[in-house]
Amino acid sequence: MTSILRQSIRDLELVVVDDGSSDDSAAIAERLAQEDGRVRLVRRAESGGPAAARNSGIATAKGRYLAFCDADDMWLPHKLERQIACAERTGAPLIYSSYHRIAPDYHASAADFEPEGRVVSVPAKLTHNDLLAGNRIGNLTAMVDLKATGHVTMPNYQGAEDWALWLAITREHGAAHGVQEPLALYRAEQDGSHSADRLRAIRAVWRVLREQEGVPRLKAAWYLGRSSVAALKKSTI
């Protein structure tokens, strides 16, 4: 949360979604909201998973640009500034960036951390066809221009929620553009995390390809193979 509030662009809102937590997360967010008027807390009575939590935040957000940051990730100070400049330059409905992949035990405040770990690089542009072969857009780096897309909702394909949204956006509104500078820190997955369930993710990828995108079975199997290989490569720090 601190890494978001310390962005070089100060005119922002931080919608914190507490997805039925049993620890003191909500209390921490409430204290921060009292200190900074840009913070708002949305509390869910029970956990609904990543898509439900993100959609609660989307429904509450008031700004033109929509960006995501999960609880274990961080943004570098110029993330939003660089991405808004890219959106204005390209007119793209979806902007993303490279990012640092850091170890699970990495701990530092937004004021003093040093980017480390492997840089996951991205291409300057991704079309809908490019994304059918696998998710190249880290959720923590994505920024949606709602003026271009209208209201969006993250589909509930557990393990591939964000990818399903990127596919829908690029299919309906055109290619996504990337900032090749790393602008965020992604904490490598830990046991028990949503992204650690590989089997569920594979099933979700198949459902997205077949149900949402209507890809024929043989072509979907080919895309699934490419996506699985790419995911294995990305999981190595």
Side-chain angles (χ1 to χ4, degrees):
M1 292 186 291
T2 304
S3 75
I4 295 171
L5 295 174
R6 290 183 176 175
Q7 288 291 296
S8 57
I9 288 183
R10 306 292 296 171
D11 183 16
L12 59 82
E13 63 172 351
L14 170 57
V15 179
V16 181
V17 180
D18 180 75
D19 192 33
S21 69
S22 57
D23 56 17
D24 59 349
S25 296
I28 293 171
E30 285 178 345
R31 288 198 299 270
L32 192 59
Q34 292 173 358
E35 299 168 1
D36 193 320
R38 297 175 296 171
V39 180
R40 285 186 291 128
L41 173 63
V42 175
R43 301 192 68 171
R44 294 176 54 84
E46 54 186 44
S47 177
R54 292 167 186 161
N55 286 332
S56 293
I58 292 171
T60 305
K62 298 178 180 179
R64 169 179 173 177
Y65 296 105
L66 177 70
F68 304 91
C69 188
D70 288 341
D72 53 354
D73 300 329
M74 301 174 73
W75 288 355
L76 292 173
H78 296 284
K79 176 187 185 292
L80 293 181
E81 180 182 346
R82 300 279 197 273
Q83 291 192 301
I84 290 174
C86 181
E88 292 176 344
R89 183 177 68 253
T90 64
L94 174 62
I95 305 295
Y96 54 93
S97 78
S98 300
Y99 59 91
H100 295 273
R101 186 180 176 88
I102 58 177
D105 58 354
Y106 176 85
H107 294 288
S109 73
D112 62 13
F113 68 79
E114 291 292 334
E116 60 177 44
R118 180 169 63 88
V119 172
V120 178
S121 299
V122 295
K125 182 179 179 180
L126 286 168
T127 65
H128 178 256
N129 281 339
D130 294 330
L131 286 169
L132 281 172
N135 190 5
R136 301 286 303 278
I137 300 175
N139 185 69
L140 75 163
T141 76
M143 188 188 78
V144 180
D145 184 354
L146 296 176
K147 185 176 180 180
T149 65
H151 178 73
V152 297
T153 300
M154 190 163 282
N156 190 23
Y157 293 102
Q158 289 196 25
E161 305 93 344
D162 51 350
W163 180 53
L165 179 55
W166 316 152
L167 283 169
I169 289 174
T170 54
R171 173 170 27 84
E172 297 295 329
H173 305 288
H177 283 251
V179 177
Q180 293 176 295
E181 173 188 359
L183 296 175
L185 283 79
Y186 171 76
R187 198 178 306 277
E189 55 210 39
Q190 305 178 55
D191 292 340
S193 71
H194 287 287
S195 55
D197 190 341
R198 297 296 185 194
L199 183 58
R200 181 179 58 191
I202 290 171
R203 289 172 177 157
V205 168
W206 180 255
R207 289 184 59 210
V208 171
L209 290 170
R210 295 286 290 145
E211 297 174 8
Q212 176 178 296
E213 298 301 318
V215 177
R217 184 178 296 272
L218 286 178
K219 194 169 186 179
W222 183 75
Y223 280 138
L224 180 62
R226 289 193 60 182
S227 177
S228 298
V229 170
L232 286 173
K233 289 180 179 179
K234 189 168 66 174
S235 66
T236 304
I237 296 178

